[in-house]
Amino acid sequence: MTWRQARWDHQSVFELSGGSDHALGAGSVDDLVPNGMTRDRLDLPSAPEFEVVRHFVNLSQMNYCLDNGLYPLGSCTMKFNPKYADRLAAHPKAAQVHPLQDEASMQGSLRIMHELERMLCVIGGVDAMTLQPPSGAQGEFTGMLIAKAYHTLRDDPRDEVIVPDTAHGTNPASAMMAGFKVVEIPSLPDGCVDLDALDAALSDRTAAMMITNPNTLGIFEPRIDLMAEMVQDAGGLMYYDGANLNAIMGYASPGDMGFDIVHFNLHKTFATPHGGGGPGAGPVGVKAPLEPFLPVPRVMLDEGRYRLDYQRPQSIGKVASFYGNFEVLLRAYTYILRQGSNGLRDASSQAVLNSNYLKKRLMEGYELPFKELRKHEFVLSAASFKDRGVRALDVSKRILDFGMHAPTMYFPLIVDEAMMVEPTESASKEELDRYADVLLSILDENASVLATAPSNTAASRIDEVLAAKRPVYSWRMRPDP
Amino acid sequence: MSLDRRMLNYLGLESVEDLFADVPEHLRLEQFDLPLGMSEQEVCRHVDAILSLNRSAVDMPCFLGGDCRQHYVPAAVEEIVSRTEFRTAYTPYQPEMSQGMLQALFEYQSLMAELVGLDVVNSSMYDWTTALGEAARMCMRINRRKRFLVPRAMSPQKRSVLNNYVLGTGMTVGEYGYDQITGEVDMDDLVGRMGDDVAGVYVEVPNAFGIIDSRAPELKAMAGEALLVVGVDPLSMAVLRPPGDYGADMVIGEAQWLGSPMNCGGPMLGLFACRERDARRSPGRIIGMTKDSNGRDAYTMALQTREQHIRRDKATSNICSNEALVAVGAAAYLSIMGAEGLTSLARSNMRRTRRLMEMVDAVPGFEAPEFTGQHFDSFVVRCPMRVEKVNRLLLRNGIIGGMHLGPTCPEFDSCMILSVNEVQTDADHENLIELLEGMA
């Protein structure tokens, strides 16, 4: 059976016509607008609602999603997004609350935030939490601001942050945003951090080390507590990038490993939808000595009443408009309640089993650099196919033709022609087998077939060169037809 | 839980615990101190009970505004953003099978570009505050200057987030004042603070007092080589001259209320627009139009070499996850409202704002508006008693009152900002006035 994605004649929304269904009778307001500030034309589309709905529904059908099937992007944790969370997130008593309402009128929202903080503290092995960062990267930025505030208060200005060469790109970027210089250290042949290189990089300039564990190769860093000790002995803080937490829930906690600052990606580990790129949520937890630096406001519980506390003189201030992406927080809260301690541990067990099963199946045809036992994800190399003109890109594009999503390509950077696979717990053995069968059968195909793939998707191979050469970022920039 | 034995057998394992053999014994969790899981029904009952402790803007009219606002969301918008094809997709890293999301985001960019009058709009920042922080950093990247000027009357969250965004850059933030009579930019003060070290000047239209600044078109000439960043309510763009027309180099703002509910302040939708010549220095994802190998129009993520996954510590920003689905909601909202729908909504809200202002001013003890400038949909009210007290009395009688202006400007501690929207009925307005009269 051949899979084919819908391919509608995708005209632009600007080409729809027929008049809006939502016009009110409202007269001119020229008398209420200062001279020279009145708008003279507005070129928005104007179409009946049924036209607009059809337009977007047809677009949606040209978009692969998690509810279609496996979406095994490494480090992205595309696990099933439970539908009860959709229902609860749409609850008017959740959705229709203004953040600046009187605390007495939002006790429900405050309680959910407070309880979610406590749950995440248990999972992360930390003492205090902020839910404010709206993404994982913003959580990293928050963590770096906390590190900066901590060192500044001790009158010990430090300007370097250490990251391993396997780190997610957000780590060095977030450290840079907070004004730190990034020191990258190499990995050993086993895929783990080189402790000698770490030792050499440490100094009285070291503000922090950022690392994820398991790392982006899916390998658990066995000497993590030793690394934490080394960094802390040098006066630095240990920062945990929570992107890979789905591997170890209930088995180990970042706090026990020695981390001082921990961020979570609720849109990964806690099953909230990715929405085509967002919204996410990136809560940050800290050990007790760093609590004074957390963003304001903190959600407090005093004698049965929840309140927002802004009186935190050492706080770093704010990293987003309000208290975080509440809609996402609520979904994660419901997921943790539903799973409980048993269900979260089971999720990690299944995710790691699925990953190791799929890894072994794929080793029938693909090379697996570094050691074998992996956690929730693994990284294959397509380098050995280069001599017959096949690249990881071509393999990935061909996978799409079977109605399956490709792995993350070309990351981490230390693996040549990397294909990074994370099946998560949301896949059956049959589905994993189908995926493995497809990836293995592709290796027998002619290089020319792969080079022209995909052909069953809404668009064939995209011209990325043209996109870079001819900038069209909006309808008004489009070239004349 | 039941694991598939066949998978364990294939791996030659007795138990799934064997897969965790690489976690050193002393790092294994001894106890996992969370409650056991609940059934779906129990979860729903439990969360429903907690949420019932809230009183929301569907229970009563809400006059709060600022950086998060209530506007009516057509059912069709909810339907579109609920499509699982959009909601459960990842970032469109494989464009061939993600054309739907890519085109929807391109249309968000295009609709916003039209509203603000600039060519390039990214596919979202987190919110208005972080868009401001990114704008300040981008000004410095462009002209290497190190001072950024903002209005003194600006929401405290914007100021705090901005401080954090410039902390590591060596930039400083300066403030300029407002005209005590009109509530507009104090041009003399601003001119006095200019200098050849100023990277950018930020101005809001409408501003924190709800005023549409009549001096806005003069700002570009005044700024000289400093960049002009204009913060807007995108709904006001339906009736106001787009900042791109009067020389803005960047336009930022909050677009949550174009199609999304308030959600206790998140997710929001940070608007970020710039000129084409500066696109390579801008933060965030941008969707571009290109062709596929069959020559058909197609979409893909453009200018990725600016971003963290490629440039790491040389990236223009660390942003990765953004507010994509909220942006799709805004695209759906703007398309469904259309030019007539959006314009008539903005006009109607302005007219009703004017009327409510007069009604409030007629209440003994209350004075509105505080300034003589023209207003969009919010205005400053001076209260005869503490703002907290006014709001507590209103809440007791089923109205969520206005935003206290004190935290924004301490000299307005006895003032609130009332924001008008189409969800409030005329009866709600009359009810508000009656309650205020009872306090006088």
Side-chain angles (χ1 to χ4, degrees):
Chain A
M1 195 185 77
T2 311
W3 172 83
R4 275 188 194 286
Q5 191 172 32
R7 182 185 293 153
W8 295 95
D9 259 347
H10 45 309
Q11 60 179 170
S12 162
V13 74
F14 285 86
E15 294 170 304
L16 305 180
S17 61
S20 164
D21 289 333
H22 290 265
L24 312 163
S28 156
V29 285
D30 287 357
D31 57 317
L32 300 181
V33 176
N35 278 340
M37 284 297 281
T38 302
R39 181 160 200 136
D40 51 22
R41 59 178 296 174
L42 179 61
D43 289 330
L44 291 187
S46 182
E49 191 166 297
F50 68 84
E51 287 274 13
V52 177
V53 169
R54 284 174 184 161
H55 173 76
F56 283 100
V57 168
N58 290 350
L59 286 185
S60 79
Q61 292 184 349
M62 297 194 288
N63 209 58
Y64 186 81
C65 71
L66 190 48
D67 285 346
N68 286 131
L70 209 57
Y71 212 134
L73 281 169
S75 269
C76 300
T77 314
M78 290 294 280
K79 63 164 77 175
F80 179 65
N81 309 136
K83 303 306 169 189
Y84 55 79
D86 291 344
R87 181 193 287 170
L88 289 165
H91 197 305
K93 293 249 187 205
Q96 305 286 357
V97 170
H98 191 288
L100 301 182
Q101 277 180 224
D102 191 305
E103 288 158 1
S105 69
M106 50 193 280
Q107 287 292 301
S109 300
L110 294 175
R111 177 170 158 191
I112 285 167
M113 290 191 267
H114 193 265
E115 290 184 359
L116 178 60
E117 285 185 5
R118 298 323 306 160
M119 293 166 168
L120 293 174
C121 280
V122 170
I123 296 167
V126 288
D127 300 311
M129 184 77 46
T130 175
L131 303 173
Q132 198 174 115
S135 73
Q138 195 72 345
E140 294 173 12
F141 180 50
T142 304
M144 289 299 100
L145 291 170
I146 290 171
K148 186 160 227 157
Y150 166 81
H151 293 300
T152 303
L153 191 77
R154 294 158 55 99
D155 209 14
D156 181 16
R158 289 166 172 253
D159 65 345
E160 289 181 354
V161 169
I162 298 173
V163 299
D165 56 4
T166 52
H168 295 116
T170 47
N171 292 181
S174 300
M176 168 279 292
M177 290 268 289
F180 291 112
K181 189 169 151 272
V182 176
V183 179
E184 194 175 275
I185 56 170
S187 302
L188 289 170
D190 67 356
C192 294
V193 169
D194 180 343
L195 293 193
D196 290 336
L198 173 60
D199 191 50
L202 287 167
S203 74
D204 57 9
R205 295 178 65 179
T206 306
M209 175 179 192
M210 302 178 87
I211 184 170
T212 182
N213 192 25
N215 66 26
T216 58
L217 297 167
I219 296 172
F220 191 91
E221 298 271 0
R223 296 172 297 264
I224 188 69
D225 50 337
L226 187 59
M227 288 156 54
E229 244 177 74
M230 290 167 66
V231 171
Q232 285 150 355
D233 284 349
L237 296 170
M238 275 298 268
Y239 182 92
Y240 184 80
D241 169 350
N244 296 346
L245 188 69
N246 204 45
I248 56 166
M249 282 187 295
Y251 283 95
S253 87
D256 286 356
M257 296 175 208
F259 285 95
D260 302 292
I261 311 173
V262 176
H263 95 250
F264 300 79
N265 296 80
L266 301 189
H267 46 291
K268 298 182 181 183
T269 319
F270 300 97
T272 75
H274 280 79
V284 172
V286 293
K287 294 273 177 68
L290 297 175
E291 179 173 7
F293 305 106
L294 287 175
V296 284
R298 300 287 314 286
V299 184
M300 310 302 283
L301 174 60
D302 292 332
E303 293 165 11
R305 303 296 293 171
Y306 295 92
R307 66 180 178 88
L308 294 165
D309 182 9
Y310 286 87
Q311 302 309 312
R312 299 264 163 177
Q314 290 170 10
S315 164
I316 61 164
K318 294 188 76 58
V319 294
S321 289
F322 299 104
Y323 324 124
N325 282 344
F326 179 78
E327 195 253 14
V328 181
L329 304 175
L330 172 58
R331 287 168 182 275
Y333 175 74
T334 65
Y335 175 75
I336 296 172
L337 284 181
R338 174 90 172 93
Q339 297 293 111
S341 55
N342 51 326
L344 291 175
R345 195 172 195 272
D346 289 349
S348 287
S349 306
Q350 186 73 58
V352 172
L353 177 61
N354 284 356
S355 158
N356 280 278
Y357 178 80
L358 184 58
K359 176 205 68 190
K360 189 168 177 201
R361 288 260 5 237
L362 289 172
M363 282 168 70
E364 292 166 29
Y366 291 80
E367 194 189 332
L368 179 85
F370 307 108
K371 68 184 186 186
E372 201 165 307
L373 177 57
R374 299 299 167 100
K375 295 270 88 54
H376 65 301
E377 68 189 1
F378 56 94
V379 183
L380 302 170
S381 170
S384 63
F385 315 137
K386 269 199 273 193
D387 52 7
R388 59 184 189 96
V390 173
R391 303 198 55 205
L393 177 79
D394 303 316
V395 174
S396 298
K397 295 299 181 195
R398 183 62 180 145
I399 294 170
L400 311 183
D401 272 338
F402 297 86
M404 298 170 170
H405 203 277
T408 298
M409 300 181 295
Y410 299 104
F411 186 84
L413 308 173
I414 62 165
V415 174
D416 192 20
E417 294 292 310
M419 294 173 62
M420 186 191 204
V421 190
E422 181 183 6
T424 81
E425 66 272 30
S426 312
S428 64
K429 174 180 179 295
E430 285 67 29
E431 199 169 6
L432 295 171
D433 281 331
R434 271 197 302 277
Y435 197 74
D437 292 345
V438 163
L439 263 68
L440 293 168
S441 71
I442 285 173
L443 298 182
D444 298 329
E445 292 187 313
N446 202 309
S448 64
V449 173
L450 302 189
T452 53
S455 50
N456 298 338
T457 45
S460 59
R461 187 81 66 106
I462 296 291
D463 189 343
E464 302 281 357
V465 176
L466 179 67
K469 211 168 59 185
R470 184 196 71 169
V472 184
Y473 310 135
S474 57
W475 182 247
R476 57 194 257 147
M477 288 176 79
R478 73 192 183 285
D480 292 327
Chain B
M1 76 180 286
S2 59
L3 293 166
D4 196 322
R5 278 302 328 167
R6 295 171 299 170
M7 294 167 74
L8 288 169
N9 292 343
Y10 177 76
L11 292 169
L13 300 176
E14 271 305 304
S15 148
V16 73
E17 304 291 319
D18 298 342
L19 289 169
F20 292 85
D22 53 353
V23 179
E25 203 67 46
H26 67 282
L27 292 180
R28 302 277 181 91
L29 216 54
E30 280 165 17
Q31 56 173 35
F32 194 27
D33 202 11
L34 288 176
L36 295 177
M38 293 180 184
S39 74
E40 178 173 325
Q41 252 200 75
E42 283 172 321
V43 172
C44 290
R45 194 182 301 135
H46 179 84
V47 174
D48 193 78
I50 296 177
L51 288 173
S52 72
L53 302 172
N54 281 347
R55 296 176 69 195
S56 77
V58 281
D59 304 321
M60 46 190 172
C62 173
F63 289 87
L64 288 167
D67 295 349
C68 179
R69 285 165 188 257
Q70 181 187 29
H71 281 289
Y72 181 74
V73 178
V77 175
E78 276 177 17
E79 179 67 24
I80 288 165
V81 296
S82 302
R83 296 286 301 183
T84 198
E85 294 88 342
F86 290 138
R87 184 183 267 163
T88 74
Y90 199 74
T91 304
Y93 282 127
Q94 294 293 346
E96 294 85 358
M97 80 181 338
S98 311
Q99 284 297 298
M101 192 71 201
L102 285 161
Q103 186 173 335
L105 290 174
F106 180 82
E107 291 181 348
Y108 161 78
Q109 296 174 181
S110 301
L111 292 158
M112 284 297 189
E114 198 51 53
L115 277 180
V116 304
L118 288 175
D119 281 345
V120 182
V121 175
N122 71 23
S123 69
S124 66
M125 303 270 90
Y126 308 124
D127 60 30
W128 197 344
T129 66
T130 66
L132 175 61
E134 294 278 14
R137 296 180 69 105
M138 181 165 154
C139 287
M140 190 179 104
R141 277 198 296 279
I142 292 173
N143 60 22
R144 303 273 156 211
R145 296 172 167 201
K146 292 218 156 178
R147 195 149 59 91
F148 192 71
L149 293 177
V150 300
R152 198 163 68 70
M154 179 170 88
S155 72
Q157 58 266 23
K158 285 199 200 100
R159 186 57 205 265
S160 181
V161 172
L162 175 62
N163 286 348
N164 278 329
Y165 269 70
V166 303
L167 186 66
T169 63
M171 277 184 110
T172 57
V173 178
E175 291 177 345
Y176 60 86
Y178 55 86
D179 185 298
Q180 310 277 341
I181 307 294
T182 63
E184 299 183 349
V185 172
D186 180 340
M187 285 298 254
D188 293 340
D189 185 47
L190 177 54
V191 168
R193 289 170 196 277
M194 291 302 295
D196 59 12
D197 61 334
V198 174
V201 176
Y202 176 62
V203 60
E204 292 183 347
V205 185
N207 66 17
F209 303 132
I211 305 279
I212 305 163
D213 206 305
S214 69
R215 315 288 299 268
E218 302 167 31
L219 289 169
K220 181 62 183 171
M222 187 277 315
E225 296 197 17
L227 295 161
L228 177 61
V229 182
V230 180
V232 301
D233 169 353
L235 181 55
S236 75
M237 290 291 97
V239 290
L240 300 184
R241 193 170 158 199
D245 266 22
Y246 53 83
D249 297 288
M250 291 170 219
V251 177
I252 63 171
E254 179 54 63
Q256 161 264 323
W257 46 89
L258 304 185
S260 292
M262 299 182 286
N263 276 316
C264 202
M268 310 299 291
L269 176 57
L271 162 67
F272 193 101
C274 68
R275 296 181 177 277
E276 187 196 335
R277 58 150 206 261
D278 299 326
R280 281 174 193 282
R281 292 197 166 109
S282 71
R285 276 187 203 125
I286 296 175
I287 311 304
M289 190 189 220
T290 181
K291 301 264 184 205
D292 71 6
S293 60
N294 290 317
R296 288 182 299 230
D297 284 342
Y299 302 88
T300 188
M301 295 195 282
L303 296 176
Q304 289 191 63
T305 49
R306 301 163 300 124
E307 293 191 64
Q308 49 76 27
H309 60 287
I310 296 182
R311 292 278 278 174
R312 301 175 76 84
D313 60 333
K314 306 282 190 301
T316 54
S317 168
N318 67 338
I319 191 166
C320 181
S321 286
N322 54 21
E323 308 295 321
L325 190 63
V326 190
V328 172
Y333 178 84
L334 291 171
S335 307
I336 283 168
M337 296 298 283
E340 308 96 317
L342 202 71
T343 306
S344 57
L345 173 63
R347 286 176 172 176
S348 161
N349 284 347
M350 281 178 83
R351 191 59 70 190
R352 295 180 72 219
T353 301
R354 178 61 169 242
R355 197 179 324 136
L356 183 65
M357 205 185 292
E358 286 162 6
M359 287 159 71
V360 171
D361 196 43
V363 179
F366 289 86
E367 290 168 47
E370 183 75 10
F371 299 104
T372 61
Q374 299 277 30
H375 294 76
F376 181 56
D377 64 3
S378 303
F379 59 94
V380 178
V381 180
R382 192 168 281 277
C383 303
M385 60 185 87
R386 287 171 53 79
V387 171
E388 292 91 334
K389 190 170 177 200
V390 175
N391 277 338
R392 218 171 309 126
L393 289 167
L394 289 174
L395 185 61
R396 200 173 298 158
N397 291 284
I399 286 182
I400 299 170
M403 188 173 78
H404 186 198
L405 197 51
T408 299
C409 281
E411 65 270 36
F412 292 108
D413 196 48
S414 58
C415 294
M416 64 162 66
I417 295 241
L418 288 176
S419 292
V420 171
N421 62 47
E422 65 283 6
V423 184
Q424 300 155 5
T425 62
D426 289 345
D428 293 331
H429 286 188
E430 281 153 26
N431 194 11
L432 170 74
I433 295 302
E434 229 168 83
L435 290 169
L436 294 182
E437 280 168 346
M439 295 176 203

